[in-house]
Amino acid sequence: MDHVISGVAKFQKEVFPKNKEVFQKLANGQNPEVLFITCADSRIDPNLVTQTGPGDLFICRNAGNIVPPHSNHTGGMTASIEFAVAALGVSHIIICGHSDCGAMKGALAPEKLDALPHVKDWLSHCRCATEVVKEKHGELTADHLDEVTKENVLQQIQHIRTHPAVAAKIATKQVQLHGWVYDIESGNVRCYDEKAEEFRLLQEVYGGKPFGQKDSKGE
């Protein structure tokens, strides 16, 4: 806890004064371009990985970077997604999983979660991912962790499509969806390529171009 407290003191003394104009602007509102949904794992820092600053990302975090399918039951994720899309007008939604994910380990072995009933219930939203991988291999083992992690990202993308605010913006091409997996050890980010139907390195998928930018051929 000491390093957290000293960190705040350093922020107030050194960081804030150097960025005072930025914070003064942010004090009057926010205008993020990206809704970034990722895991609550303490090893994941969206702003660090993306090298973005305050106000750039609207971040939602939970165990397993899960997006429950839309229902009439209001939850934190549902409300946050609706606010980001319908009120803030984000134009990109990134769902980012990561390597060595404890939530995905739990999804692979839900029988071990009896002492954590709320966690077990929450991870039921990952069942589609585990069932897909099980169907492909005939079984589920710890060796399938990376595959389940990737499949979970794809399934959560399907879930977010069911949210009315998101569906409406996708239909009018005002929102784009992105599936990412961040590797903690290497720093690599793999992104889902819909044409290739596989996860590829970020540089290969986006080619160094900003979101939505087209080359001279319009591709």
Side-chain angles (χ1 to χ4, degrees):
M1 189 63 183
D2 288 344
H3 71 285
V4 175
I5 295 172
S6 62
V8 173
K10 182 178 181 180
F11 167 76
Q12 294 173 337
K13 183 178 180 180
E14 301 177 17
V15 179
F16 184 86
K18 294 179 181 179
N19 299 277
K20 191 173 182 179
E21 292 184 3
V22 173
F23 290 110
Q24 286 179 334
K25 182 179 179 181
L26 291 173
N28 297 315
Q30 60 174 321
N31 186 33
E33 181 187 8
V34 178
L35 166 58
F36 198 99
I37 299 172
T38 193
C39 189
D41 193 298
S42 62
R43 298 168 293 178
I44 313 303
D45 186 333
N47 291 116
L48 181 64
V49 173
T50 61
Q51 286 297 283
T52 51
D56 292 333
L57 305 177
F58 189 84
I59 301 172
C60 292
R61 306 184 64 161
N62 63 66
N65 40 273
I66 288 170
V67 177
H70 183 265
S71 69
N72 291 328
H73 175 71
T74 299
M77 283 301 298
T78 301
S80 296
I81 290 168
E82 183 177 74
F83 181 73
V85 175
L88 295 179
V90 299
S91 52
H92 296 274
I93 300 174
I94 298 170
I95 297 180
C96 183
H98 68 93
S99 60
D100 193 48
C101 182
M104 294 305 98
K105 292 177 182 178
L108 280 167
E111 68 279 359
K112 297 180 180 180
L113 298 175
D114 289 342
L116 302 170
H118 294 293
V119 174
K120 186 175 184 178
D121 184 57
W122 177 250
L123 293 181
S124 67
H125 292 299
C126 302
R127 185 180 173 189
C128 283
T130 56
E131 289 296 325
V132 167
V133 175
K134 183 178 180 180
E135 183 69 18
K136 290 180 178 179
H137 299 282
E139 62 177 355
L140 277 178
T141 70
D143 293 335
H144 297 132
L145 177 61
D146 289 344
E147 190 172 350
V148 167
T149 298
K150 293 175 181 177
E151 189 62 41
N152 180 60
V153 168
L154 298 183
Q155 293 302 324
Q156 303 314 317
I157 287 178
Q158 294 304 314
H159 289 175
I160 204 168
R161 290 178 184 273
T162 68
H163 290 245
V166 177
K169 297 299 183 181
I170 291 176
T172 53
K173 301 186 184 303
Q174 296 180 68
V175 163
Q176 295 181 40
L177 303 180
H178 309 264
W180 291 9
V181 174
Y182 164 61
D183 184 79
I184 297 171
E185 184 174 7
S186 70
N188 285 331
V189 175
R190 294 187 178 275
C191 310
Y192 187 68
D193 185 331
E194 291 188 357
K195 292 183 179 179
E197 296 185 339
E198 65 179 3
F199 281 85
R200 301 167 61 204
L201 288 174
L202 180 143
Q203 295 87 343
E204 296 173 351
V205 176
Y206 298 109
K209 296 181 293 185
F211 287 147
Q213 178 177 307
K214 297 182 179 179
D215 58 27
S216 59
K217 297 180 181 179
E219 298 177 346

